[in-house]
Amino acid sequence: MLSVQGLGLHHSGNYLFQNVNFTIKKDDKIGLVGKNGAGKSTLLKMLSGEITFYEGNVVPEGNITIGFLKQDLDFVKGRTVWNETMQAFEQINAWKDELEEINHQLTVRTDYESDAYTDLINRMTDLNDLLMHHDAYNLEGDIEKVLFGLGFKADDFQKITDEFSGGWRMRIELAKLLLQKNDLMLLDEPTNHLDMESIIWLENFLKDYPGGILLVSHDKQFMTAVCNRTFDVNNRKVDDYKANYSKYLIMREDRREKLIQAKKNQDAEIKQMEDNINKFRASATKASFAQSLIKKLDKIERIEVDNDDVSKFNIRFVQSVVPGKVIFEAEKLGKAYGKKQIFDDVDFIVQRGDRIALLGQNGQGKTTLAKILAGDIKEFSGNWNLGHNVNIGYFAQNQEEVLTPNKTVQEEAEDAATEETRPRVRDLLGSFLFQGEAVNKKTKVLSGGERNRLALCKLLLRPFNVLIMDEPTNHLDIQSKEIIKLALQRFEGTLIVISHDREFLQGLSDKIYEFRDGKMKEFLGDINEYLDFRQKESIREISAEKAKLHGEEAKVEVKAKKVEDKPTTVNQQSTTIVSKEQKSIQNKLKKVEEKISELETAIENFEVSFTKDNPSEETLEKYNKTKEELDLALQEWEHLGTQLD
């Protein structure tokens, strides 16, 4: 479908890519992995045609269409969410407009025998065929499915896009791209602005997508579920692994061990050559031999091995004094911005040692509550009390608001340090990839990932007994996320974390506070147990939104049929039949739910075993097959649930 030949890109003589070759086929779903700065986003821009100044060739096969999820939005002001989403069908809309004009011409013209009139009829036939072929008369159902899946409510469809935040507008852009059904879809961090429910929906959508996908994501679980192939971008090249992310990790470790051995051999060879050069360069008779060795040494392509073992990073959040038993206590807590009530009537007690995840759709109040608890928001309704000896470390979502623009990285870190931790500043900055001249960069020029790493480093330089972390993994690569997760697991204090990353939350929290519809509910259990519950609830909620969207029409139809000529006895008989059908569906539903429970237990057992030993290929196949069976069972459960509704 698309072939890359000898691809290279350099700036001021330094190559980002050099002699890269690969082919993407129609059914490929490829995860693009690598450290921040390796060139993942740049590669997507090169394939999309946004960057054209490169060596080599990008050769598409035939007239394939390529869709690219860009981070810059270009919406026309005043459009509704529905109308903006309809822009996905630019060609179909043009055909519909042309067909409408032809129909108008056919009604007003009277030259029935002319060639021009015949041409109009032929064009009308062609347009109808094109619209039927592209299923143009069922677009509304597709739009509803995608918008609901990405978290929009029926009431949102007719709202103006200007009313929505940048994150929600990015969801509209993603919806448009998904609806276009391009042959190849390029996605750069598509989950960045999504809550957990929408991420899971997108994951299932992409698994069934009929075209090719090349995506960048730092969500390991999302990558494993969607991708059947992995490109590892490192050291100016792209290593191709014909495997999903989980298998790729095993295969990469095997390749890495071989590279380590090859590097040892190469280092020994280089040392021997350097010794010979030093030995012979002063000799008049062997100076030419030394020169040839120098040239040979310069031509050697040095083997580089990345250090991916996060357990070697001995990074810990320092625990301060032991606080009282109660950390936070809230009663009837609420917060409104003007007339907009974010949440209300919230009661909770956070005790010493609790590990809580705040979850829910964007805009429901998770960050607002975090800011109240951290002391950043002073005005609210209700009451909340801070416990005895509580020292709070707060990681804010928008780091540009908490870093001093004109300070250097080192100055910012040193200002956060205590007398005890100041000697560790350079070592900690190095662990967060601020090495050499990077410590002298001004914070105002840092990227999103660099700002997050610096803010996390600052938290490690002061002692706390409570950590409030609002999206700490945003913009971080997979290795950096693992380092932070390991440090949080070692933290002995109280943890409150906001994150949409399922894999990151596994093993971090044992209690969930869910924000939904202006309220907060407590869920006792880990992230996997919560997701099982939430998946079933989401299906019911989407069904309710669909009913709400079409409810008015449905009521009119029922009323009209009742007025016409259907006697009461028939209606009573119909009710009896429906009742029997419901009973049958309920029995089927019960069996499917039992099957889902068995499959989920089996998957959980697999995943527990993966943490102890590297799985064999046979075990991974069984694991993936079980997950496929679960997907089918959930689809059946959804279908039966819709029938029951």
Side-chain angles (χ1 to χ4, degrees):
M1 186 166 64
L2 183 140
S3 177
V4 169
Q5 304 161 354
L7 196 66
L9 182 70
H10 63 86
H11 178 69
S12 302
N14 295 317
Y15 273 91
L16 183 63
F17 297 109
Q18 191 170 19
N19 195 29
V20 170
N21 300 278
F22 58 79
T23 300
I24 299 175
K25 297 178 182 177
K26 183 173 177 58
D27 57 350
D28 281 337
K29 292 178 172 55
I30 303 166
L32 204 55
V33 301
K35 292 182 179 179
N36 286 346
K40 302 184 296 295
S41 296
T42 302
L43 182 58
L44 292 185
K45 290 177 181 177
M46 293 164 79
L47 299 183
S48 71
E50 193 168 305
I51 291 177
T52 56
F53 48 89
Y54 53 77
E55 299 172 358
N57 298 294
V58 175
V59 184
E61 182 182 304
N63 295 318
I64 68 163
T65 56
I66 299 176
F68 182 29
L69 181 65
K70 298 180 181 179
Q71 299 303 313
D72 53 321
L73 301 174
D74 186 23
F75 285 5
V76 173
K77 287 190 175 182
R79 276 186 188 150
T80 64
V81 170
W82 185 270
N83 289 339
E84 183 60 46
T85 309
M86 277 294 293
Q87 302 309 305
F89 309 108
E90 185 178 354
Q91 183 59 71
I92 290 175
N93 292 334
W95 288 335
K96 282 184 174 180
D97 291 343
E98 186 182 353
L99 183 61
E100 187 176 343
E101 176 59 27
I102 288 173
N103 282 325
H104 173 69
Q105 289 292 325
L106 291 175
T107 57
V108 298
R109 293 177 63 154
T110 56
D111 54 333
Y112 308 121
E113 304 298 327
S114 69
D115 291 341
Y117 197 88
T118 303
D119 289 342
L120 283 175
I121 292 174
N122 290 335
R123 181 56 181 163
M124 180 182 69
T125 303
D126 291 342
L127 287 170
N128 276 317
D129 289 344
L130 283 168
L131 291 170
M132 290 294 289
H133 176 71
H134 287 83
D135 205 19
Y137 299 108
N138 293 317
L139 298 183
E140 288 78 5
D142 291 341
I143 293 173
E144 286 176 19
K145 175 185 173 183
V146 171
L147 288 178
F148 283 140
L150 292 176
F152 289 92
K153 304 291 187 185
D155 294 341
D156 295 328
F157 290 1
Q158 297 309 317
K159 290 180 181 176
I160 304 301
T161 59
D162 308 29
E163 299 177 26
F164 291 85
S165 67
W168 281 95
R169 293 172 74 192
M170 185 58 73
R171 292 188 191 210
I172 300 171
E173 194 68 19
L174 177 58
K176 288 158 62 178
L177 183 62
L178 298 179
L179 288 163
Q180 285 171 355
K181 299 177 183 176
N182 291 291
D183 298 307
L184 176 61
M185 193 155 46
L186 308 175
L187 302 173
D188 192 357
E189 292 289 357
T191 64
N192 260 4
H193 300 284
L194 302 183
D195 54 67
M196 200 173 290
E197 291 174 44
S198 299
I199 290 171
I200 293 170
W201 178 87
L202 179 62
E203 181 181 288
N204 291 321
F205 184 95
L206 295 181
K207 281 194 291 188
D208 297 329
Y209 188 72
I213 296 172
L214 184 61
L215 71 89
V216 175
S217 177
H218 294 145
D219 186 327
K220 295 199 294 187
Q221 198 162 339
F222 182 78
M223 293 268 280
T224 298
V226 172
C227 301
N228 55 24
R229 191 174 168 193
T230 306
F231 284 176
D232 187 347
V233 182
N234 66 88
N235 299 327
R236 302 178 299 281
K237 62 184 188 302
V238 175
D239 292 328
D240 184 1
Y241 293 82
K242 305 291 193 298
N244 68 14
Y245 187 79
S246 294
K247 288 184 182 178
Y248 147 76
L249 290 175
I250 299 167
M251 294 167 68
R252 185 191 61 173
E253 187 57 32
D254 181 54
R255 180 182 287 189
R256 188 170 175 274
E257 288 174 5
K258 291 175 181 175
L259 272 177
I260 290 172
Q261 187 56 51
K263 189 176 188 308
K264 285 180 181 177
N265 296 337
Q266 188 185 71
D267 288 346
E269 181 186 351
I270 289 171
K271 186 177 184 307
Q272 182 64 49
M273 291 174 69
E274 288 172 341
D275 289 345
N276 288 335
I277 289 168
N278 292 330
K279 181 179 177 182
F280 299 133
R281 74 188 338 159
S283 170
T285 57
K286 296 186 177 179
S288 60
F289 178 60
Q291 286 301 315
S292 67
L293 284 177
I294 290 171
K295 289 178 182 178
K296 184 178 179 182
L297 187 62
D298 289 340
K299 290 180 180 178
I300 291 178
E301 186 175 343
R302 306 296 175 104
I303 296 171
E304 298 178 41
V305 183
D306 288 333
N307 180 18
D308 293 330
D309 186 1
V310 299
S311 63
K312 293 179 181 177
F313 292 87
N314 190 25
I315 294 176
R316 293 179 180 273
F317 289 97
V318 182
Q319 170 92 350
S320 68
V321 296
V322 177
K325 185 177 180 181
V326 175
I327 304 297
F328 301 116
E329 186 171 7
E331 184 179 2
K332 306 293 183 185
L333 189 65
K335 177 61 184 174
Y337 292 101
K339 294 181 179 180
K340 183 174 177 59
Q341 189 74 38
I342 305 300
F343 58 78
D344 196 20
D345 203 27
V346 169
D347 299 328
F348 63 85
I349 295 176
V350 177
Q351 296 187 331
R352 182 178 63 233
D354 278 352
R355 306 180 74 80
I356 300 167
L358 306 185
L359 301 180
Q361 289 185 326
N362 294 339
Q364 291 290 323
K366 304 184 297 296
T367 293
T368 299
L369 178 63
K371 286 183 175 181
I372 291 173
L373 299 181
D376 282 8
I377 292 178
K378 309 291 185 184
E379 296 182 5
F380 46 83
S381 60
N383 300 297
W384 84 275
N385 297 310
L386 183 66
H388 178 63
N389 273 344
V390 173
N391 299 323
I392 300 170
Y394 176 45
F395 179 90
Q397 189 174 12
N398 298 316
Q399 290 306 318
E400 62 271 13
E401 297 175 6
V402 296
L403 297 177
T404 308
N406 289 317
K407 283 186 179 177
T408 66
V409 168
Q410 183 163 342
E411 288 170 345
E412 189 80 22
E414 285 176 342
D415 287 351
T418 63
E419 288 300 320
E420 292 78 14
T421 59
R422 189 161 284 112
R424 298 175 52 217
V425 166
R426 286 300 293 260
D427 288 340
L428 269 176
L429 286 173
S431 297
F432 282 92
L433 308 181
F434 293 108
Q435 298 165 339
E437 290 300 312
V439 299
N440 297 319
K441 290 169 72 172
K442 300 281 189 183
T443 65
K444 64 184 177 184
V445 302
L446 297 180
S447 67
E450 287 172 328
R451 285 197 298 268
N452 275 20
R453 294 202 305 271
L454 178 55
L456 289 164
C457 182
K458 287 172 61 178
L459 281 180
L460 289 157
L461 290 164
R462 298 190 72 85
F464 302 106
N465 50 36
V466 175
L467 289 175
I468 300 174
M469 313 291 281
D470 190 355
E471 296 285 4
T473 63
N474 271 3
H475 309 293
L476 295 185
D477 59 34
I478 289 172
Q479 185 185 21
S480 299
K481 282 166 58 174
E482 289 174 348
I483 292 169
I484 295 306
K485 180 174 179 177
L486 193 60
L488 290 173
Q489 286 175 325
R490 291 168 174 167
F491 179 60
E492 296 176 357
T494 303
L495 175 65
I496 297 174
V497 60
I498 301 172
S499 178
H500 298 309
D501 190 319
R502 292 160 289 169
E503 194 278 335
F504 180 74
L505 288 175
Q506 286 171 5
L508 272 188
S509 65
D510 50 25
K511 189 186 293 185
I512 310 273
Y513 285 174
E514 181 193 52
F515 288 76
R516 185 171 295 272
D517 300 327
K519 302 295 179 185
M520 191 193 83
K521 294 180 182 177
E522 183 177 298
F523 183 93
L524 295 176
D526 63 17
I527 183 65
N528 291 327
E529 292 169 320
Y530 167 77
L531 287 175
D532 290 341
F533 162 78
R534 176 44 46 205
Q535 187 172 24
K536 295 169 185 175
E537 289 296 305
S538 294
I539 293 169
R540 292 192 181 100
E541 287 165 8
I542 288 177
S543 295
E545 284 297 313
K546 286 181 180 177
K548 183 178 179 181
L549 189 65
H550 301 289
E552 189 174 332
E553 293 178 16
K555 285 178 185 175
V556 171
E557 286 176 11
V558 170
K559 189 174 181 181
K561 286 179 182 177
K562 195 171 182 180
V563 169
E564 283 175 8
D565 57 358
K566 292 208 173 189
T568 307
T569 52
V570 174
N571 282 332
Q572 289 171 344
Q573 186 182 10
S574 174
T575 303
T576 306
I577 293 169
V578 169
S579 178
K580 287 179 181 178
E581 287 176 353
Q582 284 180 330
K583 192 171 182 180
S584 173
I585 293 169
Q586 285 171 346
N587 290 335
K588 290 178 182 177
L589 204 56
K590 186 178 179 182
K591 289 179 181 178
V592 173
E593 285 174 348
E594 289 172 357
K595 185 178 180 181
I596 288 171
S597 179
E598 290 173 5
L599 291 168
E600 286 173 340
T601 302
I603 288 170
E604 193 174 323
N605 291 336
F606 274 122
E607 290 172 346
V608 169
S609 70
F610 292 168
T611 62
K612 298 174 183 176
D613 303 298
N614 286 337
S616 64
E617 287 204 14
E618 185 182 353
T619 303
L620 281 170
E621 284 179 15
K622 288 180 180 178
Y623 171 67
N624 290 327
K625 188 175 180 182
T626 306
K627 288 186 74 175
E628 288 172 6
E629 288 179 23
L630 178 61
D631 288 340
L632 291 172
L634 286 169
Q635 288 174 22
E636 186 180 356
W637 185 89
E638 180 182 1
H639 176 67
L640 290 169
T642 305
Q643 285 185 322
L644 197 60
D645 290 340

